Amino acid sequence: MAFLNIENLTVNYGNIKALKGIDIEVEKNEIVTLIGSNGAGKTTTMNTIAGLKRSSGGRIMFDGEDITQMGTPQIVKKGLTLSPEGRQVFPKLSVFENIELGAYTRSKKERDEMLEVVYDLFPKLKERRSQSAGTLSGGEQQMLAVGRALMCKPKLLMLDEPSLGLAPLIVKEIFDLIVRINKLGTTILLVEQNARMALAISQRGYVLETGKIILKADADYLLNSEEVKNAYLGGV
Ligand code: ATP
């Protein structure tokens, strides 16, 4: 069975059927991208895997265990973390305090070890560790959100729109960092509006449309498919 194995997952918001029975598999050490139009259900998928939203049917298996009914703290402890859409850093707390919050499930030794990894990946966060997070630029806040998610030493890191609202150069930096994090041994599930760049660093991708997976394929195939290009990659 795949490292993350989602079977026939359904999620409702009242009468709205946001996910209508989706299957997703992510193998260990892969980068997999989920693409789809606004409202397709991408964030719902990530939030449900992370235990922030209850499913109404189906099964989520992670690292050989059924996590469908688990709460977020338990899921984080198992090594699955989400860096949510919209950064959501604590603006009044310092950069260091924000980072430390991500490690609440870990021992002091593990915290120190991961802090070194995070500061190494994001030297700017180290430089600004005493500054309040609200005074960081958008790109720096995004890096902080990713750094915080890394602190619990995830085996699988989910990133929801990590490049949202960022300038192209910073976007490039974020994507390079995602590749580095992956090379350190973290499996990645990515949701991105910037589908072309996301697929360029991914092995495989899924296309989600109104709560259903309509296509799954190697990233190269998706990048070259006329249908995908026209619908999701700006037609070029
Ligand atoms: P976007 O790219 O715009 O962020 P998305 O693919 O992440 O979109 P979701 O945010 O998962 O899509 O939304 C899927 C569907 O569920 C949409 O129709 C949305 O309106 C609906 N939805 C999401 N959150 C809620 C909520 N809290 N209450 C009711 N409906 C919701």
Side-chain angles (χ1 to χ4, degrees), residues 13 16-18 36-45 85 160-161 191 193 208:
Y13 296 99
I16 299 167
K17 294 189 181 346
S37 317
N38 292 124
K42 304 179 297 296
T43 296
T44 300
T45 304
E85 188 173 12
D160 194 352
E161 303 279 5
V191 161
Q193 289 287 329
L208 190 60

Side-chain angles (χ1 to χ4, degrees), residues 119-132:
Y119 280 162
D120 185 46
L121 283 166
F122 307 97
K124 252 194 204 142
L125 295 183
K126 185 173 187 183
E127 238 170 69
R128 307 197 167 199
R129 60 187 179 276
S130 317
Q131 194 172 319
S132 58

Side-chain angles (χ1 to χ4, degrees), residues 51-200:
L52 295 167
K53 170 79 189 143
R54 281 270 155 251
S55 57
S56 49
R59 193 172 71 154
I60 307 170
M61 298 286 292
F62 173 62
D63 204 7
E65 256 187 284
D66 189 338
I67 61 163
T68 321
Q69 304 300 332
M70 285 184 192
T72 303
Q74 220 182 336
I75 293 172
V76 169
K77 251 189 201 153
K78 299 237 161 287
L80 204 170
T81 331
L82 169 68
S83 171
E85 188 173 12
R87 297 159 206 162
Q88 301 181 10
V89 301
F90 297 95
K92 296 248 163 68
L93 298 184
S94 73
V95 168
F96 171 73
E97 286 163 337
N98 267 277
I99 293 173
E100 278 271 297
L101 278 176
Y104 69 98
T105 60
R106 299 292 168 200
S107 67
K108 170 90 173 74
K109 184 168 164 280
E110 283 176 309
R111 276 209 306 263
D112 290 347
E113 178 194 319
M114 283 318 285
L115 189 63
E116 219 168 286
V117 172
V118 169
Y119 280 162
D120 185 46
L121 283 166
F122 307 97
K124 252 194 204 142
L125 295 183
K126 185 173 187 183
E127 238 170 69
R128 307 197 167 199
R129 60 187 179 276
S130 317
Q131 194 172 319
S132 58
T135 62
L136 295 177
S137 74
E140 289 161 355
Q141 286 188 27
Q142 185 59 59
M143 289 174 191
L144 177 55
V146 177
R148 185 180 57 192
L150 273 180
M151 281 299 286
C152 68
K153 225 176 162 183
K155 296 181 201 157
L156 194 155
L157 175 62
M158 298 191 288
L159 299 161
D160 194 352
E161 303 279 5
S163 81
L164 196 69
L166 302 180
L169 266 181
I170 311 291
V171 172
K172 170 92 179 48
E173 216 174 301
I174 296 262
F175 277 92
D176 287 347
L177 280 162
I178 295 171
V179 172
R180 278 184 66 194
I181 291 165
N182 175 246
K183 293 222 164 100
L184 290 173
T186 308
T187 307
I188 309 266
L189 178 60
L190 186 58
V191 161
E192 256 296 328
Q193 289 287 329
N194 204 329
R196 183 180 299 281
M197 282 187 82
L199 287 171

